[in-house]
Amino acid sequence: MADSDNIKKLVKEKYGQIASQSREQNVSSCCGTGGCCSDLTYTVIGEDYSKLEGYASEADLGLGCGIPTEYAGIKAGDTVLDLGSGAGNDVFVARRLVGEAGRVIGLDMTEEMIAKARANNEKLGYKNVEFVLGDIEKMPVPSGSVDVVISNCVLNLVPDKGAAFAEIFRVLKPGGHFSISDVVTRGELPLKIKAAAEMYVGCVAGAPDRNVYLDIIRGCGFDDARVVKERNIDIADEILKQYLNNEELQAFKRSSTAVLSVTVIGTKPGK
């Protein structure tokens, strides 16, 4: 994509469409894109939420690549912000952890997702859950107001990751922390994959290099930024052949380049 506005427009349109699809439709495609990665199933890129307390099946669209609450250290009474909250899957799990005394805010830039999440919350009857329309690069959230930030397979879709992590730093209280599940790479992806809009929305072409990702986080001022969970995401040859010729495919397979699902944590200094 040529610029960040076009990327955001594309992501917004695609995830607006995804909001109207069932979980079964979404999990049969790469991050729910509906066809670009039809053989990259949820069992490869996502993880099973169904046994977690607070899980609401109607909020699970199968779009994640990890379980960020697993390493988030969320406590009763915390204020938690979920970035790219979708239909509310991670929000409702976090709500169980913060209890009645806490608060959970879901932020998403897609109107259709916000509407779906609010409808889900209405059915559940939670009074301490809020879904807010907004941009991760410029959040409508007060500075120093959040104890924990979580996100699941979303930051890789944000064009300016430095701006996103600077905003995370801003909204966290001193001593607050984040736990983010995301897609990164080890090494450089072939240009044809990076340039493919469908793969971008499919959580692959927008993924930064693992070390660059950590450098961005540390450059925003976070302490103890590190990967606490990592696994390879294998992309089927049938998918790669949509973008690479046979020679390019073989070169890619011989390389050490890989697509990874990671969960990353970091802490804002202070307190």
Side-chain angles (χ1 to χ4, degrees):
M1 300 300 293
D3 56 59
S4 61
D5 288 340
N6 284 341
I7 290 170
K8 287 182 181 180
K9 181 180 178 182
L10 176 62
V11 171
K12 192 172 182 179
E13 288 174 354
K14 287 288 186 179
Y15 281 83
Q17 295 168 12
I18 289 166
S20 65
Q21 296 177 173
S22 68
R23 179 180 182 276
E24 288 70 24
Q25 288 173 297
N26 290 327
V27 300
S28 65
S29 58
C30 179
C31 286
T33 55
C36 78
C37 298
S38 58
D39 294 324
L40 184 56
T41 63
Y42 179 71
T43 56
V44 174
I45 196 167
E47 294 194 38
D48 183 15
Y49 269 74
S50 61
K51 294 181 175 60
L52 296 181
E53 292 189 28
Y55 174 73
S57 59
E58 61 271 29
D60 184 2
L61 299 182
L63 303 177
C65 56
I67 303 178
T69 52
E70 184 179 8
Y71 294 93
I74 297 170
K75 305 185 303 297
D78 277 348
T79 296
V80 177
L81 173 63
D82 179 23
L83 303 180
S85 50
N89 192 31
D90 289 289
V91 167
F92 299 132
V93 173
R95 193 268 171 198
R96 175 71 178 181
L97 296 170
V98 304
E100 295 290 344
R103 180 184 179 213
V104 186
I105 305 161
L107 178 74
D108 204 286
M109 71 170 183
T110 308
E111 291 89 345
E112 294 88 344
M113 285 294 190
I114 290 290
K116 188 159 192 165
R118 287 173 177 169
N120 286 334
N121 190 55
E122 185 71 22
K123 293 175 188 174
L124 293 166
Y126 295 143
K127 304 301 181 185
N128 56 342
V129 166
E130 179 183 7
F131 290 97
V132 177
L133 185 68
D135 191 323
I136 292 173
E137 294 176 10
K138 195 174 182 181
M139 301 183 209
V141 178
S143 299
S145 63
V146 175
D147 296 292
V148 184
V149 170
I150 60 174
S151 188
N152 195 348
C153 211
V154 172
L155 271 290
N156 58 81
L157 299 173
V158 176
D160 190 341
K161 292 167 182 60
F165 277 103
E167 278 289 88
I168 293 170
F169 190 91
R170 178 185 67 79
V171 302
L172 280 170
K173 298 175 183 178
H177 59 277
F178 70 80
S179 176
I180 291 173
S181 296
D182 216 346
V183 174
V184 298
T185 66
R186 182 174 62 241
E188 277 291 315
L189 287 176
L191 290 176
K192 287 184 179 180
I193 292 179
K194 292 185 73 172
E198 294 86 358
M199 288 291 279
Y200 194 101
V201 180
C203 307
V204 176
D209 177 81
R210 181 187 188 278
N211 293 331
V212 171
Y213 194 79
L214 288 170
D215 286 344
I216 290 170
I217 294 169
R218 292 165 182 148
C220 289
F222 287 100
D223 287 341
D224 195 30
R226 56 195 169 93
V227 173
V228 292
K229 187 174 184 178
E230 177 178 304
R231 59 191 173 85
N232 277 22
I233 297 173
D234 294 320
I235 305 177
D237 286 359
E238 309 87 86
I239 297 167
L240 293 172
K241 286 176 182 177
Q242 297 178 37
Y243 304 94
L244 308 176
N245 62 37
N246 189 61
E247 184 178 340
E248 292 166 333
L249 175 61
Q250 294 308 314
F252 176 53
K253 293 178 73 172
R254 287 193 301 270
S255 73
S256 59
T257 303
V259 180
L260 309 171
S261 167
V262 296
T263 298
V264 183
I265 62 171
T267 302
K268 180 175 178 176
K271 217 169 185 177

